[in-house]
Amino acid sequence: MHITKEVMERYLSGKANAEEAEAIRHALDHNLINLNDWLPETEWHHTQENIPFERRDNIRQLLLRRIERANRRRLVYTISKYAAIFILTGLVGWGLLDYWKKPAPTALITAQQKEPVALPQPPLKETAPHKKAAAQPEPKGNLYYINSGNLPMAVTVPDGSKIELYPGSEVKFADGFAALAKRDIYLKGKATFTVAKDRSKPFRVHTAGLMTTALGTVFSVDELQSSVTKVKLYEGRIQVQGVGDKPGTASLNMQFVPNEEVTINHRALQIIAESRTNSSAFNRKGFYQEKQNRLIFKNMALKDVLNIISHNYKVQLQFDPEAIENKYYSGTYENAPSVYLKILTDLQQLHNIVITVQNEK
């Protein structure tokens, strides 16, 4: 409610209503009324005492006390304000003075930075291996060739060897191939290799589960099928070895001469097919083949027949090598887990030899 001069006069004359009286009392209690708006403070002290309303002396004294209280509050507020400013200024000044009196911390930081410099150098014997390692040549990388076309791709190896890489195949060998003690080629797919002659450095082709080693020769390796690898020799000599043979079983280790070939299941390390020239006067051209669940031997030398049985059925056979020399065999059998026993029985009866199975399962 807005308190006007008329409202105040009604209040002083006792004619104000309850709402006006309550508003004026609230304003007086909270110093919300500036009495100088109605009558300057100097005039209150000279006002005549014969004011025509009751309790005039009490009201006059009450108003004077409230005015003095308001003046005191303003004075206290003003003094407090300047005192606070003075105290704050003093504290800041004292802090700055104390700060500038303290020694600068840069000397301490500098000392901490110099401590590692003062540490003794590591012993010479500890630094020597580092120097030796730095002098070692950096390892060579690998060269990759991938034939994604439809025709064979010619690849020249740094030692002068030649690779005919068939479509869908890839080879990998070291960048410093010619300087290595062993010439290792890693093949996926099919390729024909014409190897540069160097008897001091074996030329080895690695495929899944097999390693074919040659000196100076021409041969092909084909593993385009997922589980089968076919190796065929055209010139020279090669050796085909199994990688990862189980302990206690005969390791796959076969040698071939020109025009011989072998097909191997490289997952099971089993011989699927084999073709031999048989270096006899008659050159029988023997072969072995698994076809339609049948095992077919045709003019196979006994040493090759026994080698196939040993690898495919994971058994070790004992016999007299001289007793099987220059002897051959032909036969057809239905494939079964124990068919090798029937084959061995037939071989012993036909050639009058003794064959012992050492670790029959």
Side-chain angles (χ1 to χ4, degrees):
M1 177 180 180
H2 182 63
I3 301 175
T4 63
K5 193 173 183 179
E6 289 75 18
V7 174
M8 180 62 71
E9 290 177 353
R10 286 199 299 270
Y11 175 79
L12 295 175
S13 63
K15 297 179 180 180
N17 57 32
E19 182 181 359
E20 293 172 342
E22 180 62 27
I24 292 174
R25 282 195 294 271
H26 180 270
L28 291 173
D29 290 339
H30 293 84
N31 296 323
L32 301 177
I33 297 177
N34 188 0
L35 299 178
N36 290 328
D37 293 341
W38 291 277
L39 184 64
E41 183 177 349
T42 55
E43 295 182 14
W44 279 100
H45 296 284
H46 300 90
T47 303
Q48 297 295 329
E49 297 183 358
N50 54 348
I51 299 175
F53 57 85
E54 296 180 354
R55 301 176 60 193
R56 57 184 180 273
D57 294 335
N58 293 337
I59 294 174
R60 182 174 179 274
Q61 294 299 324
L62 175 62
L63 292 175
L64 289 175
R65 283 197 304 270
R66 293 189 179 277
I67 292 171
E68 291 175 0
R69 187 185 304 170
N71 291 336
R72 284 198 302 271
R73 289 180 178 176
R74 283 196 296 269
L75 179 60
V76 171
Y77 172 79
T78 303
I79 294 173
S80 301
K81 178 175 68 175
Y82 285 105
I85 294 174
F86 175 79
I87 293 172
L88 179 61
T89 305
L91 290 176
V92 172
W94 180 267
L96 290 174
L97 180 62
D98 184 65
Y99 174 80
W100 288 111
K101 287 182 178 179
K102 289 183 178 179
T106 54
L108 179 59
I109 296 176
T110 304
Q112 291 177 352
Q113 293 176 346
K114 289 183 178 179
E115 287 179 2
V117 179
L119 292 176
Q121 295 294 328
L124 182 61
K125 63 180 181 179
E126 294 182 4
T127 59
H130 176 71
K131 293 181 179 179
K132 184 177 180 180
Q136 294 180 354
E138 296 183 358
K140 298 292 184 180
N142 291 320
L143 300 177
Y144 293 83
Y145 293 86
I146 301 175
N147 187 356
S148 57
N150 298 321
L151 299 174
M153 180 175 68
V155 178
T156 301
V157 188
D159 70 334
S161 301
K162 306 291 183 181
I163 301 177
E164 186 178 20
L165 189 63
Y166 285 77
S169 305
E170 61 181 88
V171 291
K172 177 185 73 172
F173 50 84
D175 189 12
F177 185 85
L180 300 178
K182 296 179 180 179
R183 298 177 289 174
D184 290 306
I185 300 285
Y186 296 87
L187 170 67
K188 291 183 179 180
K190 179 180 179 180
T192 297
F193 299 87
T194 302
V195 182
K197 293 183 179 181
D198 189 345
R199 294 185 179 275
S200 64
K201 297 180 179 180
F203 188 97
R204 305 187 302 188
V205 177
H206 300 264
T207 53
L210 298 174
M211 181 177 67
T212 303
T213 305
L215 292 175
T217 187
V218 179
F219 66 97
S220 65
V221 179
D222 179 2
E223 64 156 18
L224 287 175
Q225 299 185 36
S226 60
S227 61
V228 175
T229 300
K230 181 179 181 180
V231 181
K232 184 174 182 178
L233 178 64
Y234 300 98
E235 296 179 11
R237 284 182 174 272
I238 60 172
Q239 181 183 38
V240 178
Q241 296 174 279
V243 178
D245 286 314
K246 295 181 179 180
T249 61
S251 60
L252 182 64
N253 191 336
M254 308 173 69
Q255 296 185 3
F256 297 90
V257 296
N259 299 318
E260 294 185 340
E261 62 183 89
V262 64
T263 302
I264 299 172
N265 182 329
H266 55 246
R267 292 180 178 176
L269 287 182
Q270 291 185 343
I271 301 170
I272 298 176
E274 183 178 342
S275 177
R276 295 286 189 172
T277 59
N278 295 329
S279 57
S280 65
F282 301 100
N283 193 6
R284 299 173 182 270
K285 294 184 179 180
F287 70 89
Y288 163 77
Q289 185 177 16
E290 289 186 16
K291 185 176 182 180
Q292 297 178 350
N293 203 34
R294 301 176 69 188
L295 308 182
I296 303 173
F297 298 89
K298 181 67 175 179
N299 295 329
M300 289 289 292
L302 288 190
K303 64 180 183 64
D304 295 325
V305 174
L306 297 178
N307 185 64
I308 292 172
I309 293 174
S310 177
H311 289 298
N312 287 5
Y313 298 96
K314 309 301 180 186
V315 294
Q316 292 184 346
L317 304 178
Q318 185 177 11
F319 52 86
D320 183 2
E322 295 182 358
I324 63 172
E325 188 176 354
N326 293 326
K327 293 181 179 180
Y328 303 88
Y329 179 74
S330 297
T332 301
Y333 298 87
E334 294 293 330
N335 194 5
S338 60
V339 66
Y340 69 94
L341 296 176
K342 173 63 174 173
I343 300 173
L344 293 177
T345 300
D346 292 344
L347 292 176
Q348 293 180 91
Q349 293 178 352
L350 179 63
H351 294 285
N352 193 23
I353 57 177
V354 177
I355 303 173
T356 303
V357 180
Q358 292 185 331
N359 59 340
E360 183 178 353
K361 296 182 179 180

